[in-house]
Amino acid sequence: MPLIEPTAEGIARCAAALRSGGVVAVPTETVYGLAADALSPAAVAEVFRRKGRPAENPLIVHVPSADAAAALAAEWPGEAEVLAAEFWPGPLTLVVPKSASVPPATTGGLGTVALRVPRHPVAQRLLAAAGIPLAAPSANRFGSLSPTTAEAVLEALGGEVDVLDGGPCEVGIESTVVDLCSRPARLLRPGRVGVPQLEAALAARVEVAPMGSPVAGPGMYARHYATAAPIHLVEELAGAEAGLGFGGPKSGLQVQMPSDPVRYAALLYSALRELDRLCPSHIAVESVPEGQEWDAVRDRLRRACQG
Ligand code: TXA
Ligand code: MG
């Protein structure tokens, strides 16, 4: 049975598998991750293989605390200290110079490493039990939607992987990624932690990398989050078309989305999966409002629409 309940016994089993170089899908508050020992090139290679992920696309390393993060960094800047104190544990990833202990296989050959302390209680218990940093990209095949439930992981990766079941993810989209190796700090991927919050914590400006362009950072592909059916943005859903909208659904092929960006993000991937399962000719998505609080959702929708 590939679904594992997060009992003490289940967590101990997953921790043992990870310590001996295995791969386990694990819940975080953002999306499920496909975890392996971040310090083992062989374990990390297996993650790349199962995802079908290009080797130059760096992984995020999950640790139990800011101290554990600093231990994997060659340099732990003041900004990291401030952001860690403010947002960890939580949906924020910090890119800093890597220490020699982190193998190039984990960082796609880069001299920097992306670090995050997740706040999902099951992820925290697993990190404590495993006692090793866990490299964990989203637990999907490369280029497709990130899974936000244990069942979605099984659907995405087939029955071969063990999945620690932590229930549905609360945030629903991937963490905010901030590069602290450039001055000023640079947003590489928008997420639940927004630019205004980052700037308030740092009392400094945060530069926003142009989204969807290769210069945004390694692994920031214009096309991402793909469904089988092509997705496009519309002003308003037509009566018969499959899609996500804000108004009342006009057919069983339409999902009414929340008008609050946080709740919208939490539902986005599961709603797209649900529609995609019905094999529509295309999926239409009503454009979301302009405001900054919609940046993360708008970024995912833009990438999902690139054909
Ligand atoms: O919410 C999340 O971050 C989830 C959960 C599982 O923690 N993980 C996740 O991993 O989204 P993944 O592999 O799908 O996204 C990792 C991305 C890379 O594609 C890249 O854009 C950025 O994080 N990244 C990782 N290491 C980096 C580095 N050294 N420099 C710049 N960007 C990096
Ligand atoms: Mg991903």
Side-chain angles (χ1 to χ4, degrees):
M1 180 63 190
L3 280 192
I4 300 171
E5 289 300 317
T7 57
E9 193 265 328
I11 292 205
R13 223 171 95 205
C14 293
L18 290 163
R19 268 199 309 271
S20 57
V23 170
V24 179
V26 304
T28 81
E29 70 278 17
T30 56
V31 300
Y32 275 73
L34 192 61
D37 181 351
L39 305 185
S40 159
V44 162
E46 182 59 14
V47 170
F48 279 93
R49 193 187 68 76
R50 295 215 191 189
K51 274 189 64 97
R53 178 174 174 118
E56 75 278 5
N57 189 347
L59 305 182
I60 293 173
V61 177
H62 300 70
V63 286
S65 66
D67 285 347
L72 297 178
E75 205 187 298
W76 190 244
E79 288 98 325
E81 200 61 44
V82 169
L83 294 178
E86 184 78 17
F87 299 109
W88 282 354
L92 176 67
T93 296
L94 301 177
V95 175
V96 293
K98 80 172 189 69
S99 80
S101 61
V102 182
T106 301
T107 64
L110 297 171
T112 56
V113 61
L115 297 162
R116 176 162 109 79
V117 178
R119 72 165 175 239
H120 194 297
V122 173
Q124 292 193 346
R125 283 163 59 208
L126 180 67
L127 282 165
I132 48 174
L134 296 176
S138 50
N140 51 285
R141 298 283 300 171
F142 174 67
S144 57
L145 291 175
S146 301
T148 55
T149 62
E151 292 75 17
V153 177
L154 292 181
E155 210 178 296
L157 294 178
E160 293 155 44
V161 64
D162 283 335
V163 186
L164 186 56
D165 190 353
C169 301
E170 171 219 332
V171 175
I173 55 171
E174 305 79 1
S175 60
T176 305
V177 180
V178 177
D179 180 6
L180 296 179
C181 300
S182 53
R183 293 282 176 283
R186 208 158 64 110
L187 180 80
L188 299 182
R189 180 171 73 185
R192 166 78 79 90
V193 177
V195 169
Q197 284 170 279
L198 295 166
E199 290 184 331
L202 292 171
R205 194 172 68 81
V206 170
E207 184 181 88
V208 178
M211 296 302 149
S213 76
V215 298
M220 298 305 281
Y221 301 93
R223 176 167 169 68
H224 208 154
Y225 314 118
T227 44
I231 300 182
H232 62 241
L233 295 181
V234 295
E235 276 317 302
E236 198 182 331
L237 290 180
E241 89 193 320
L244 311 182
F246 291 106
K250 300 180 184 97
S251 82
L253 289 173
Q254 299 185 356
V255 180
Q256 179 166 3
M257 297 300 285
S259 55
D260 167 64
V262 168
R263 289 178 49 229
Y264 188 110
L267 285 182
L268 176 60
Y269 293 156
S270 57
L272 286 175
R273 269 176 206 287
E274 187 189 318
L275 285 183
D276 208 31
R277 239 177 258 128
L278 304 173
C279 303
S281 61
H282 68 274
I283 296 173
V285 178
E286 284 184 0
S287 298
V288 300
E290 289 296 319
Q292 224 173 7
E293 66 278 16
W294 286 92
D295 281 355
V297 164
R298 203 178 305 105
D299 168 70
R300 301 318 188 271
L301 289 177
R302 191 183 308 121
R303 291 177 208 272
C305 288
Q306 302 279 327

